[in-house]
């Protein structure tokens, strides 16, 4: 366009949903049930005369179905809506509500304009914007039992209350309704101590006024699958949460010839970055709305009542406005901005005519200024401190800002025609107090025309982000397995920013060689990186594991906590809870110390050390045939020799290489070998490419969830600790054609398949049967573009 060179590009990508219920065999291999369910209560006990004894028992909703009656999944149908009873708990089935892949739309736009103003100055402007829209499908509602003690007793007259009031012999008790309002009358005594005056008991003779018990909630999900569908739930009561994520980047740049220094060039640029995240908070729920609904006037304002029970009679169900109030579906979001100024000058160091045997010294010097800011805006329920999942503390709108000054120098020193030394140093200083100076050097020796030897060593650091430092405390779910008792389920986990975080630092060393022949290239690199104060996210299980380890060290207990035979007694647990050394961030139910209500401080922290040693191998080979075309073969492989980590100074150093690493968040799943083999063919406008991917096997140290065997519909792989995580191999293949003439331009198209042989993911007891991020549950995918 005139003197402007303009490039414009766009992309639109759409992904449909893949629900757990669309892979029923895989999903029903793993955990899809939780003992934290609607249907778990404390009911008071009565004597033969129908009077309260002062004791109570753990009960389940009488409408909860037996565990043996659990069924598998049918797409878009609410599965096991009444839960499933095992022992003294009613379990909630969340497997039909979740997704392996969420539906999303991703739109991207890119534009660049360049103007050659003169031989010494070029101006350019670049813009990029992407918008990701996603719909998330989650459990009908999540548990949040840390605030359960705030709920009043669920009165017998609450619609749908299924707990019949009976005497010690099981006889139905009847009450009195003197004013005829349809609600049994109450006296002034509170013999069961639930804070509500007791019903007046007329006896066991049927007078048309049967009594139901006042019960106290033991564990609760505020919304169950039998409830009236709220505005934020699908017809089968999946919890639907929409969100959109917009990323924008704009750059203005000048490339110029540096005056007064012959042969030097420079660039100066300003870039503005913005990320804007806005989403529906679908798992907060409003405890004040729940309290209000439980305290309703049943006789005069029945539509205002909130029934937490399984509903069998539609007339007893909650009104839509009560459901919407309890669901508390508000928006929350985060806005991040980053302004960057870059100035870089590069050229040959003027040494007055002196030159090293290998040639002139190349140099680059630069300065960077960054202005980083963010704003976190919680939902209305969080701002009010009314979230069911979380604490009573009100969240606030959190903002943060910091500036960074950075300087660097890089030198390329050709000591000899075959030996080059590279030297670099960078200093960064943060207005929030962090600072680091990091050197790096490397040596390259071209020993022959086909052999090159390499060595590098350098320091680096990562400063904690503003979110890591300042995020408000928020609560969600974490799965924990208690080594002190039988608890293995979801619980509330709360964490936020950690203002005490320090820089994560690392020192890296690498040695390698490159072989280059006519048709063959091959390289091997050994690298070792040692991290200090590595920034990691601590989850609820990490805190539980550390607490049990501290208990073992303090008491000498030898059991590993896996299975009742290897767990301490209740007396030993109570002694440990009274010990100041026990972790007070683990909140247990005072009425049942084996129930974990909440785990706090699941935030970001500095791990002690992580040391990674690995080998990287790369190779390529090409063949040319006059009539057949060209064939290319490429190999990339990584072998992890060691992954040594220590999450706490009191813990020993452990090696995570070649392990599943389910018991720690300091190390991911780490197969010892990962490799990709690429084979490609091209002839004229035609090309075929394939990639064979291999992931090594490893022992499985994840949960087994043996209680699933008592439920119907599951196919848990009980031998996975013996078989381990099996090696995985799959193959992608594509065909491309280039050179189609369309509208005075050229077009290309590609038709391909990922996982072309439809390799199925290995089933496991993990959530939805999937082994972490190692395997893809989608199976074969066919695409065109």
């Amino acid at each position: 366009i005139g003197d402007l060179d303009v490039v414009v590009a766009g992309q639109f990508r759409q992904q449909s949903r893949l629900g757990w219920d669309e892979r029923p065999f895989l999903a029903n291999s793993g955990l899809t049930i939780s003992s934290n369910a609607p249907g778990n209560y404390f009911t008071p006990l009565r004597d033969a005369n129908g009077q309260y004894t002062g004791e109570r028992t753990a009960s389940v909703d009488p409408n909860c179905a037996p565990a043996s009656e659990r069924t598998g999944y049918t797409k878009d149908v609410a599965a096991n809506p009444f839960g499933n009873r095992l022992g003294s708990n009613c379990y909630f089935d969340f497997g039909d509500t979740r997704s392996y892949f969420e539906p999303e739309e991703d739109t991207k736009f890119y534009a660049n304009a360049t103007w050659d103003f003169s031989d010494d100055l070029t101006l350019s402007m670049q813009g990029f914007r992407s918008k990701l829209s996603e719909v998330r499908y989650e459990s009908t509602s999540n548990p949040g039992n840390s605030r359960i003690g705030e709920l009043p007793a669920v009165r017998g007259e609450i619609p749908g209350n299924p707990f019949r009031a009976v005497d010690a012999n099981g006889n139905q008790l009847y009450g009195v309704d003197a004013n005829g309002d349809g609600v049994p009358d109450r006296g002034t005594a509170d013999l069961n101590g639930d804070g509500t005056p007791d019903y007046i008991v007329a006896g066991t003779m049927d007078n048309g006024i049967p009594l139901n018990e006042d019960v106290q909630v033991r564990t609760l999900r505020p919304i169950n699958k039998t409830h009236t569908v709220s505005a934020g739930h699908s017809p089968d009561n999946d919890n639907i949460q929409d969100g959109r994520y917009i990323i924008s980047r704009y750059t203005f740049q000048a490339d110029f010839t540096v005056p007064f220094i012959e042969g030097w060039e420079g660039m100066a640029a300003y870039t503005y970055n913005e990320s804007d995240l806005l989403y529906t908070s679908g798992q907060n729920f409003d405890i004040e709305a729940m309290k209000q609904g439980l305290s309703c006037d049943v006789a005069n304002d029945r539509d205002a009542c909130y029934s937490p029970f399984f509903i069998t009679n539609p007339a007893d169900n909650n009104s839509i406005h009560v459901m919407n109030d309890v669901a508390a579906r508000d928006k929350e979001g985060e806005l991040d901005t980053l302004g960057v100024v870059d100035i870089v000058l590069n050229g040959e160091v003027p040494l007055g005519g002196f030159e090293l045997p290998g040639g002139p010294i190349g140099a680059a010097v630069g300065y960077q200024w960054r202005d980083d800011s963010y704003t976190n805006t919680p939902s209305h329920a969080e701002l009010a401190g009314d979230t069911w999942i979380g604490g009573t503390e009100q969240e606030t709108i959190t903002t943060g800002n910091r500036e960074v000054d950075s300087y660097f120098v890089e030198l390329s020193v050709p000591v000899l025609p075959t030996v080059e030394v590279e030297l670099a140093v960078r200093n960064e200083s943060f207005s929030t107090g962090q600072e680091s100076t990091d050197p790096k050097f490397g040596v390259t020796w071209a020993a022959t025309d086909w052999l090159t030897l390499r060595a590098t060593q350098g320091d680096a650091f990562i400063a904690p982000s503003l979110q890591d430092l300042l995020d408000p405390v928020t609560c969600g779910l974490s799965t924990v397995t208690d080594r002190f008792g039988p608890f293995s389920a979801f619980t509330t986990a709360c964490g936020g920013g950690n203002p005490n975080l320090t820089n994560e630092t690392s020192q890296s060393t690498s040695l390698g060689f490159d072989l280059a022949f006519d048709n063959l290239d091959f390289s091997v690199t050994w690298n070792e990186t040692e991290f200090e104060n590595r920034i990691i996210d601590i989850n609820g299980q990490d805190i539980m594991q550390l607490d049990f380890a501290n208990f073992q060290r303090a008491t000498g207990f030898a059991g590993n906590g896996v299975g009742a035979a290897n767990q301490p007694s209740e007396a030993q647990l109570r002694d440990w809870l009274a010990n100041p050394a026990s972790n007070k961030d683990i909140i247990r139910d005072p009425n049942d110390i084996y129930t974990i209500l909440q785990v706090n401080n699941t935030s970001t922290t500095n791990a002690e050390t992580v040391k990674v040693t690995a080998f990287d191998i790369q190779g390529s080979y090409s063949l040319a045939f006059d009539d057949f075309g060209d064939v290319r073969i490429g190999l990339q492989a990584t072998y992890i020799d060691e992954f040594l980590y220590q999450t706490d100074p009191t813990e020993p150093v452990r090696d995570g290489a070649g392990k599943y690493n389910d018991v720690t968040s300091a190390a991911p799943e780490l197969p010892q070998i990962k490799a990709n083999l690429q084979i490609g063919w091209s002839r004229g406008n035609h090309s075929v490419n394939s990639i064979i991917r291999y992931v090594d096997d490893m022992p499985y140290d994840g949960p087994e969830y043996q209680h699933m065997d008592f439920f119907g519909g599951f196919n848990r792989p009980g031998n996975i600790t013996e078989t381990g995580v099996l090696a995985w191999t799959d193959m992608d293949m594509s065909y491309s054609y280039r050179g189609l003439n369309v509208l005075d331009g050229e077009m290309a198209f590609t038709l391909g398949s990922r996982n072309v042989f439809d390799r199925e993911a290995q089933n496991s007891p993990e959530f939805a049967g999937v082994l972490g991020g190692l395997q893809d549950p989608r199976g074969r995918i066919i695409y065109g573009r």
Side-chain angles (χ1 to χ4, degrees), residues 489-503:
F490 288 110
T491 194
T492 302
C494 300
N498 181 356
N500 297 317
L501 284 176
T502 60
N503 288 347

Side-chain angles (χ1 to χ4, degrees), residues 670-750:
L670 285 172
Q672 201 130 38
I673 300 173
K674 296 180 72 173
N676 292 339
L677 177 65
Q678 295 176 281
I679 303 175
W681 168 84
S682 62
R683 184 173 182 267
N685 295 334
H686 304 270
S687 64
V688 175
N689 292 283
S690 65
I691 303 176
I692 300 172
R693 295 184 171 86
Y694 172 81
V695 178
D696 203 8
D697 62 357
M698 67 192 81
Y700 176 81
D701 65 349
E704 296 184 66
Y705 299 124
Q706 296 179 7
H707 66 284
M708 291 164 50
D709 296 342
F710 295 98
F711 292 80
F714 281 122
N715 43 266
R716 183 184 72 90
N719 64 340
I720 192 168
T721 55
E722 288 78 35
T723 63
V725 179
L726 303 177
W728 172 270
T729 304
D730 67 10
M731 182 177 181
D732 300 345
M733 183 174 288
S734 65
Y735 165 78
S736 298
Y737 183 84
R738 301 177 184 276
L740 290 173
N741 295 318
V742 178
L743 300 176
D744 296 327
E746 187 176 285
M747 188 182 78
F749 74 87
T750 298

Side-chain angles (χ1 to χ4, degrees), residues 77-278:
V77 175
N80 308 298
F82 291 94
N84 295 101
R85 182 177 67 253
L86 180 65
S88 60
N89 286 309
C90 184
Y91 284 71
F92 176 81
D93 197 324
F94 55 84
D96 61 317
T97 66
R98 307 290 294 274
S99 304
Y100 291 113
F101 291 91
E102 304 290 5
E104 60 182 36
E105 292 184 351
D106 190 5
T107 305
K108 295 179 180 179
F109 177 79
Y110 168 86
N112 184 85
T114 303
W115 177 31
D116 291 325
F117 180 78
S118 69
D119 292 340
D120 295 321
L121 177 63
T122 297
L123 302 177
S124 61
M125 179 175 66
Q126 185 181 105
F128 172 82
R129 183 177 174 88
S130 70
K131 179 181 179 181
L132 176 66
S133 300
E134 182 182 67
V135 178
R136 295 183 60 84
Y137 287 73
E138 294 191 355
S139 298
T140 307
S141 64
N142 286 340
N145 299 320
S146 61
R147 300 190 69 174
I148 208 163
E150 299 179 41
L151 296 179
V154 186
R155 293 167 294 153
E157 69 261 29
I158 288 292
N161 187 325
F163 290 95
R164 297 167 49 242
V166 296
D167 63 21
N169 298 314
N171 299 310
Q172 173 71 56
L173 297 175
Y174 294 86
V176 175
D177 183 13
N179 59 2
D181 63 358
V183 176
D185 298 338
R186 295 178 180 270
T188 58
D190 180 19
L191 299 180
N192 64 353
D194 64 1
T196 302
D198 302 334
Y199 287 118
I200 299 172
V201 177
T204 58
M205 183 175 295
D206 187 351
N207 62 1
I209 309 171
L211 293 178
N212 291 328
E213 286 290 9
D214 300 336
V215 297
Q216 291 181 299
V217 179
R218 182 160 53 96
T219 63
L220 180 66
R221 291 174 183 254
I223 299 177
N224 69 61
K225 297 177 187 178
T226 68
H227 279 157
T228 301
V229 177
S230 83
H233 286 74
S234 69
D236 58 337
N237 250 321
D238 298 346
N239 193 329
I240 301 177
Q241 304 165 41
D242 63 295
R244 62 115 179 97
Y245 185 38
I246 298 175
I247 298 177
S248 305
R249 182 178 69 247
Y250 306 99
T251 300
F252 303 90
Q253 182 170 323
D255 295 275
F256 54 88
T257 300
V258 178
F260 312 119
I261 308 178
E262 185 177 353
W264 277 59
E265 297 180 345
M267 62 83 71
Y270 173 76
T271 302
Y272 175 78
N273 304 271
E274 180 180 287
S275 65
D276 184 6
L277 174 64
L278 183 68

Side-chain angles (χ1 to χ4, degrees), residues 24 26 36 74 116 154 245 266 338 376 399 445 452 457 531 591 636 665 721:
L26 184 64
N36 282 330
T74 300
D116 291 325
V154 186
Y245 185 38
L338 175 64
N376 182 292
T399 61
W445 175 34
T452 301
Q457 184 169 22
F531 299 89
N591 298 308
Q636 299 89 35
S665 58
T721 55

Side-chain angles (χ1 to χ4, degrees), residues 421-444:
V421 176
E422 294 186 353
L423 305 170
V425 64
R426 186 181 186 96
N427 173 269
E428 294 207 349
S429 178
F430 294 74
S431 61
T432 48
Q434 296 83 20
E435 184 176 5
S436 183
T437 300
D438 300 294
K440 181 179 181 180
F441 68 89
V443 179
T444 303

Side-chain angles (χ1 to χ4, degrees), residues 360-640:
I361 298 173
V365 296
Y367 166 76
Q368 185 181 77
W369 172 82
R370 304 195 299 271
D371 183 16
D372 187 8
S373 66
Y374 98 116
T375 301
N376 182 292
T377 304
S379 67
H380 175 76
E382 291 169 322
L383 290 169
D386 293 341
T387 55
W388 164 250
I389 300 177
T392 59
E393 184 177 349
Q394 295 179 340
E395 293 186 28
T396 60
I397 297 175
T398 305
T399 61
N401 175 265
R402 69 179 174 192
E403 297 183 5
V404 184
D405 290 297
S406 176
Y407 303 86
F408 75 88
V409 177
E410 297 178 359
L411 296 175
S412 178
V413 184
V415 180
L416 297 171
T418 59
V419 178
E420 184 172 322
V421 176
E422 294 186 353
L423 305 170
V425 64
R426 186 181 186 96
N427 173 269
E428 294 207 349
S429 178
F430 294 74
S431 61
T432 48
Q434 296 83 20
E435 184 176 5
S436 183
T437 300
D438 300 294
K440 181 179 181 180
F441 68 89
V443 179
T444 303
W445 175 34
T448 69
D449 58 357
W450 52 268
L451 174 63
T452 301
L453 304 178
R454 299 172 280 107
T456 62
Q457 184 169 22
D459 296 343
F461 85 103
I462 298 175
S465 68
L466 288 173
Q467 293 90 330
D468 291 337
L469 294 168
L470 304 175
D471 260 353
V473 174
T474 57
C475 298
L477 287 188
S478 180
T479 303
V480 298
T481 297
D482 188 13
R483 301 297 186 187
F484 290 96
F487 189 91
S488 182
F490 288 110
T491 194
T492 302
C494 300
N498 181 356
N500 297 317
L501 284 176
T502 60
N503 288 347
E504 173 184 322
T505 62
S506 67
Q507 185 175 79
S508 299
T509 303
S510 70
L511 302 171
F513 66 85
D514 303 317
L515 300 175
F517 301 100
D518 289 340
N519 298 324
L520 173 66
D521 295 319
F522 185 75
S523 66
V524 176
T525 303
W526 171 88
N527 54 76
E528 181 179 272
T529 303
E530 186 166 2
F531 299 89
E532 295 285 343
N533 297 320
R534 192 179 186 204
I535 299 173
I536 65 171
D537 292 325
I538 293 294
N539 59 36
Q541 188 60 44
D542 290 325
I543 294 174
M544 299 288 293
Q545 291 283 123
L546 181 58
D547 186 55
F548 186 75
N550 290 337
F551 164 75
Q552 289 178 306
R553 279 190 290 271
T555 64
F557 184 77
N560 62 9
V562 179
N566 299 307
Q567 293 174 338
S569 66
E570 181 177 343
Q572 287 174 304
L573 174 56
R574 291 189 180 278
D575 289 343
W576 176 243
L577 296 178
N579 190 322
S582 65
N583 194 330
K584 308 308 178 188
D585 286 329
I586 301 171
I587 311 300
R588 295 176 180 269
D589 187 343
N591 298 308
D592 177 13
I593 60 173
Y594 290 116
T595 296
I596 310 299
L597 297 179
Q598 184 168 311
V599 181
N600 291 326
N601 280 328
T602 55
S603 56
T604 307
T605 188
N606 289 110
E608 287 299 301
T609 60
V610 175
K611 183 179 180 181
V612 184
T613 305
F615 291 88
D616 292 317
I617 300 172
Q618 292 190 4
S620 64
Y621 182 68
S622 60
L623 291 170
F625 302 93
D626 291 338
D627 297 326
F628 182 72
D630 299 328
V631 175
R632 302 171 309 281
I633 302 174
L635 173 68
Q636 299 89 35
T638 297
Y639 173 82
I640 299 177

